[in-house]
Amino acid sequence: MAAKPSTAAEKALQKIQDQVTCGICLEPYKQPRLLKCFHVYCEQCLQRLVRGGREGQSLPCPQCRQDTPLPVGGVPGLQGAFYIHYLFDIQDALKKVSSSDQTMCNKCKKFEAVCFCRTCGFACQRCKEIHQDWDELKTHEFIDLDTLTGDVTTLVPPLKKTLFCATHPSKKAKLYCETCDELICRDCIVRVHRDHQYDLVPESFAKQEKVIVDSLKPVEEQIATLERAVESVDTQSAAVVEQKTAVVAEIRTAMAHLRQALEARETELVGQAEQTAQQKLKTLAAQRDGFELQLGQLRSCQDFVEESRRTCSQGEILRMKSPLVKQVIDLTGSFKPETLALAEQADMVFAHSLPELVKTCQQFGKVYCHPVCPEKCRASGEGIKVATRGQTVAVSVEALDREGEAYLRPVDSLRCELVASDGSSRVRGTVKRRNQNIYDISYQPQVTGEHQLHILIEEHPILNSPFTVTVLPNFTAPANIIGDLNAPYGIAVREGGEVVVAERS
């Protein structure tokens, strides 16, 4: 007894089940119709998608939304998907293979089938041998059940359906008119197709099959191209995910360094505040000690005098009066009020530009959606150093990526602006792409003096931008022309800058 390939057959059965299920009603196809986009749906399901289904209307595919013009007769006039019927036959055969304990021979119906004949169906070993002995049956193709795989197309039998003539429905369409590209019967030859090129269906099929196969060559080429495109998208998607991981790690590293720098600066500033405060407190403490010393001396003087007045006799007081007064005068004479000015003040402040720093932090860094790197791009030419008022100056910019390689895509965000040091003049430059990664920038300064030339990509400065440009006066064009002179022979410049020309009278 041959082993049942139930696993392979069940997989094939599941695959074919998906192929014979309508995507709208999710049930087996009923009168399947083929749309222009080669998607198949039940006729009734398509009719529900259009109102009336009249000729001239367009039917959008529920899956890809491509429009299919309705032919004469509406939805029923659409081409039928004939191969779906054969898929149903294959499905029935696979159900027998996968679910039945024994698959009986379709011919003798006595013994278990061991193979599948693409013409006769399931066959037992005896009927298979008969096929091999009879010349008429030797051409039949067999598939052993032991080697049955998920390739269900091997089970498709040759076309046996009898087709009838569209013009004469009772006549078999055994001929094919190559001129009209349609199946015909013998009666059609007499009336309409007498002088046309026609032949029997088998002979015509041998020739027309090549036309069908050749018509698929562009399809195969486009499939290969799209498969490569899909592969490129998948590769690029994986690269984007990998790049995102690297960029996020770089951002976190940069922010960690920034936090470390801020924390280090915080420690440094706090240390400065502590050191400054300690120095001030030390100076004020020393000054306080001096004040306390003078205060103690004065209080001792005051206490001595008051105590003497309270306890001594008048004679004793008068006896010590002269030296006592002298000592008091000496003590108070050394007192200098100007020395009481505080040596230090509580004037310590934290000077900072917090709003600008916050703004800088908010604008710190940028994630680019393309690899052009402003910090790598270089500018060259005299226009980054010196210019002449009123004359067009040229600068070249080389677009580079993060690796320092030429960036070959267009850089639409490249811009240039010349700004006078006092802000009195701002001139926008023009940008033209010379070749794949070289751009020509031109500008025309309007005032003389020092300027800043800003060259930006994605609002980020390129390498060494802004450039300091000195705009010189234009001495090539005369400021004023004096005409109608009569033999001039001398010239002088007065103190006010006036030019005097002497001429003969």
Side-chain angles (χ1 to χ4, degrees), residues 106-122:
N106 288 347
K107 287 296 184 182
C108 67
K109 304 187 185 301
K110 295 180 180 180
F111 304 103
E112 181 184 359
V114 297
C115 62
F116 183 85
C117 174
R118 295 183 69 243
T119 305
C120 306
F122 291 100

Side-chain angles (χ1 to χ4, degrees), residues 15-27:
K15 179 178 179 181
I16 205 169
Q17 179 68 31
D18 297 336
Q19 292 178 309
V20 298
T21 300
C22 175
I24 297 178
C25 63
L26 302 180
E27 294 181 0

